[in-house]
Amino acid sequence: MNKQAIEDQYLRINKFFGQLVGVWPYQERFTKFCIRLTIFAIIILTLTTQIYQVIVFCTLDALSNQLPYLNALFILLFKQYNYILNEDKLRDLLNDIIFDRLMVRSKKELEILNMYSRRATTLCIFYEVIVIFSAIMFIMIPTIPPILNIIMPLNESRDREFIYPTYFFIDEEKYYYPILTYMATVILIVSSVYLACDTNLVQIVHHGCALLAISGYHFKHAVDDMKFSNGNYIDLLMDETYKKVKQSIKAHKTAVEYVDKIDACHIYYFLLIIGMIVLAFTGTFLKLSTMEIEIRFFTFCGYTVAQLTHLFFLTIMGQFLINANDEIFNTIYEAHWYNGSSRTQSLYVLVLRKCLNPPTLTGGGLIVLNLDSFVQILKLSFSYYTVFRS
């Protein structure tokens, strides 16, 4: 198996969407530049029209209507340019996945790698379905008034809807369908960037979990061959076991360093994204509490669910790593380390101590990503909502 085969077999979702939006580090440079420039121009134009919509109407209601869409676009820019600015770090992380796949490994190690790879692929597919469903939901918004005109007619036809509120410097009625086509393109770009960046995160995090699990497997079985002769250790086996434990420590160190590289690639990205999500939740909660039940009400509900899923998706990545570290701790503790020599046992003690400070994903080194953070962020959003509501 070569590098190309590994990319096609284990990283195909990442590669497809990454090449689509110009964040795949192995893509040809000129092609990446053209794709990035095109997306940047479209997003800046979209932001301009949305901000101008707020300026033209200059009301709090206009701002609250626009906030979710502005928020989604700023998050897109944070996502894409995090991987553009950290392209070398992402390439290094993906190279490690490919290198670890090309290494000669035992059957059990390959089983662990394949297990976590399958988990990552399943999660990527699940996330892909959610994002595509959300995109289709938004693209279908303009079809609702014509359908309602047929099944629930009024004395006059309902006004035509756009996918999102915006202000173009042209006659919007005359150029309704070109504008609608442009908006659908924006939605597809947003969906593709989210998928490209977040599926990369899934793959590298699960590879980090796999490396931790492999080191735990080595620790568990490092002392299996220890035997006694006349109540004493066999020197040759004792030395061999000591070497195995040192190799296990080396494998654990490699896994921890890999996770630290993931955190270094995303540390400020997570902080910015979490801040934007808190802002989005607060704004949408306020808007939903004052809206009548109509088309836009359900749009805001859908947006809230999408951001909730997005936040859960990010925080659970950190939880996966914490769980993997806890499994190592339990695996080492359950190993027959007490059959080893005193110096072997001391190595186990050092590793157990190291596991008490697990490698984590953080937002700016301030917020540890886990399920507890997920709950705390929701509480914070509700607190801000309560303050502004009162």
Side-chain angles (χ1 to χ4, degrees):
M1 186 176 288
N2 56 26
K3 177 178 178 291
Q4 186 66 39
I6 292 172
E7 287 182 14
D8 294 338
Q9 183 172 350
Y10 299 105
L11 303 172
R12 60 184 182 278
I13 297 177
N14 313 56
K15 184 177 181 178
F16 174 76
F17 288 105
Q19 289 180 331
L20 204 61
V21 300
V23 297
W24 185 247
Y26 306 110
Q27 197 172 6
E28 200 272 328
R29 181 174 297 180
F30 179 74
T31 304
K32 282 191 294 188
F33 175 78
C34 292
I35 292 172
R36 292 170 181 175
L37 184 61
T38 302
I39 292 176
F40 181 77
I42 291 173
I43 297 304
I44 292 300
L45 175 60
T46 306
L47 283 170
T48 302
T49 57
Q50 291 187 1
I51 292 172
Y52 199 74
Q53 164 88 356
V54 178
I55 295 173
V56 167
F57 291 96
C58 198
T59 63
L60 187 60
D61 190 56
L63 177 61
S64 61
N65 281 332
Q66 208 69 59
L67 187 61
Y69 307 101
L70 289 170
N71 190 280
L73 291 178
F74 279 117
I75 289 177
L76 175 147
L77 291 175
F78 292 153
K79 283 180 176 292
Q80 186 181 26
Y81 280 87
N82 174 67
Y83 284 121
I84 291 175
L85 297 175
N86 293 300
E87 185 176 39
D88 291 339
K89 293 180 180 178
L90 177 61
R91 184 186 293 110
D92 190 29
L93 289 165
L94 294 175
N95 282 342
D96 286 346
I97 294 178
I98 295 170
F99 176 77
D100 289 333
R101 282 284 177 180
L102 293 174
M103 284 178 59
V104 177
R105 291 185 176 275
S106 66
K107 181 180 178 181
K108 182 61 180 179
E109 289 177 333
L110 290 175
E111 288 177 357
I112 293 173
L113 283 173
N114 289 332
M115 179 185 69
Y116 279 96
S117 179
R118 286 193 298 270
R119 288 185 185 179
T121 301
T122 302
L123 192 57
C124 286
I125 293 172
F126 177 71
Y127 189 70
E128 183 180 355
V129 170
I130 292 175
V131 172
I132 291 174
F133 176 79
S134 299
I136 292 173
M137 182 189 71
F138 278 96
I139 291 173
M140 293 296 290
I141 288 174
T143 67
I144 296 177
I147 293 173
L148 290 177
N149 287 335
I150 295 173
I151 62 176
M152 297 176 61
L154 300 174
N155 292 331
E156 58 182 14
S157 297
R158 293 173 174 85
D159 293 334
R160 293 196 288 191
E161 288 279 349
F162 286 109
I163 296 175
Y164 52 82
T166 188
Y167 186 91
F168 283 91
F169 309 97
I170 55 177
D171 186 340
E172 294 182 355
E173 286 296 322
K174 182 179 179 180
Y175 297 99
Y176 176 75
Y177 290 106
I179 292 174
L180 210 59
T181 302
Y182 172 81
M183 289 183 170
T185 302
V186 172
I187 295 296
L188 293 176
I189 289 174
V190 171
S191 303
S192 298
V193 172
Y194 273 61
L195 284 169
C197 298
D198 291 344
T199 53
N200 272 336
L201 181 62
V202 172
Q203 287 290 354
I204 58 182
V205 165
H206 277 75
H207 187 69
C209 292
L211 294 179
L212 289 169
I214 288 172
S215 68
Y217 167 77
H218 285 307
F219 278 117
K220 183 175 182 179
H221 297 285
V223 293
D224 285 353
D225 296 331
M226 280 298 298
K227 295 179 181 179
F228 296 93
S229 177
N230 298 322
N232 297 317
Y233 291 109
I234 301 175
D235 291 340
L236 183 60
L237 291 178
M238 185 170 61
D239 291 339
E240 186 65 28
T241 298
Y242 186 74
K243 289 179 182 178
K244 288 181 179 179
V245 175
K246 288 204 311 184
Q247 291 172 352
S248 303
I249 291 175
K250 185 178 179 181
H252 183 257
K253 181 181 178 183
T254 300
V256 170
E257 288 175 348
Y258 184 82
V259 175
D260 288 341
K261 286 193 290 185
I262 298 175
D263 188 48
C265 185
H266 299 84
I267 185 166
Y268 297 112
Y269 160 80
F270 286 137
L271 186 62
L272 289 169
I273 295 296
I274 289 172
M276 295 299 293
I277 290 175
V278 170
L279 179 63
F281 278 149
T282 305
T284 50
F285 291 154
L286 282 169
K287 187 64 180 178
L288 287 171
S289 66
T290 59
M291 288 182 73
E292 297 180 358
I293 298 179
E294 54 178 1
I295 294 175
R296 289 297 166 186
F297 176 83
F298 294 106
T299 301
F300 272 75
C301 289
Y303 175 80
T304 303
V305 172
Q307 284 294 11
L308 185 67
T309 304
H310 184 215
L311 175 63
F312 179 76
F313 178 85
L314 292 178
T315 53
I316 203 173
M317 292 298 110
Q319 188 65 49
F320 284 147
L321 290 170
I322 293 172
N323 292 345
N325 183 78
D326 291 342
E327 289 176 8
I328 287 182
F329 186 91
N330 293 330
T331 299
I332 295 173
Y333 189 77
E334 293 169 359
H336 298 160
W337 52 269
Y338 43 81
N339 288 334
S341 62
S342 58
R343 63 174 183 165
T344 299
Q345 292 176 11
S346 65
L347 291 181
Y348 274 90
V349 171
L350 290 174
V351 175
L352 286 172
R353 180 64 185 83
K354 175 65 176 176
C355 289
L356 295 177
N357 299 305
T360 57
L361 299 182
T362 64
L366 302 174
I367 305 171
V368 177
L369 267 64
N370 52 36
L371 292 181
D372 182 63
S373 298
F374 173 74
V375 175
Q376 295 303 320
I377 292 167
L378 290 181
K379 287 182 178 179
L380 181 63
S381 300
F382 276 111
S383 297
Y384 286 144
Y385 159 73
T386 305
V387 170
F388 285 117
R389 180 66 174 161
S390 60

